[in-house]
Amino acid sequence: MTGHIMPRKIYFMVFGCLLALTALTTLAAYVDLDAYLGTKIIPMNTVVALLIAACKATLVALFFMHVKYSSHLIKVVVAAGLFWMAILIALTMSDYKTRNLHIPNPPESWQSSISQPDR
Amino acid sequence: MADAHAALPHSGALKEQFDDLEQQHEASALGMWVFLATEVMFFGGLFAAYTIFRNLYYPGFVAGSHLLEVPFGATNTAVLICSSLTMAMAVRSAQTGKRRALIVYLLCTMALGLAFLGIKFHFEWYHDYLDGIVPGVHFAPSPELLAHWAQLHVAPPHVEMFMYFYFVMTGVHALHMIVGVGILSVLVIMAYQGKFGPDRFNTVEMSGLYWHFVDIIWIFLFPLLYLLGGRFR
């Protein structure tokens, strides 16, 4: 086998799913999905949007990019790329979340560079 | 294995350093996926930086996201998904040796890629420039916009930071699309010359991997930039 020839039907089914998920993620953005944990707001809209994006990316990779039918070696390389990305995000964010960072306010001087209307 | 491709060494499809077509195909795919892993690292840095600043300047980022037009973003997502389908069908046509279908599908993919770039350049970036929300180059929001942000207690430099991310991320993505369209035009010429067939389609398939990867990047850019924090407010 040199490259798996997939039935046309699968490509069109994946295509349909991708379009449906795009419509779903767009519509979901207009619905307030915020969840409350005590007083803390959990931005569920972002979580839902990213989950849908991950599903779409998985569909593209598995079927359009033939990962489902590839050798273990290829799958390991794909997983390694994603694992590196997870390290990058997780370790960077753990640093920002566990340190008391002083975030300076933007300088007020930006306003002088923009012409203001008469008040 | 060797028997199955006994006649192939004479066809020239099999390069002499490989035992058989399967090994040759595996080597191409491995090389392409290693390149795509470096691309994950390239875009990963931008995504990580975006995540940090989104946490630091959340209200400013939401205000910036609301400056973008969701219909254009959603349309472009659909356009790219269509182009991924035509690219997948192009690879399939090469695998099954259908030259005419291959050329048609490659041209469709190119046209959809150019449509994406057209929407991006003409309906989005050009109007962003006219509206004065291009960071660095021309960041001069209208007084109404500044008053609106003041109401929301949003610092304009924070919105500008979002716009930097928007322009760099979509800009680098558009650059990848332009490279992809260039690759496709070479493929069309090669396909016209009859250089692809059931035992030689690696070039088409590997270019397809690149095209689908660029599609995946957009699949993440769309919710992160256009739908940030929801649109219900």
Side-chain angles (χ1 to χ4, degrees), chain B residues 117-141:
Chain B
L117 289 170
I119 292 172
K120 197 93 223 128
F121 282 100
H122 182 70
F123 292 108
E124 298 198 83
W125 288 343
Y126 176 59
H127 285 271
D128 291 342
Y129 182 77
L130 294 183
D131 293 345
I133 51 173
V134 177
V137 183
H138 180 56
F139 194 73

Side-chain angles (χ1 to χ4, degrees), chain B residues 13-29 199 202:
Chain B
L14 181 65
K15 299 283 180 281
E16 59 183 309
Q17 67 268 36
F18 297 111
D19 291 340
D20 50 40
L21 284 178
E22 190 180 357
Q23 192 192 46
Q24 179 170 278
H25 177 261
E26 177 87 357
S28 298
D199 56 359
N202 280 359

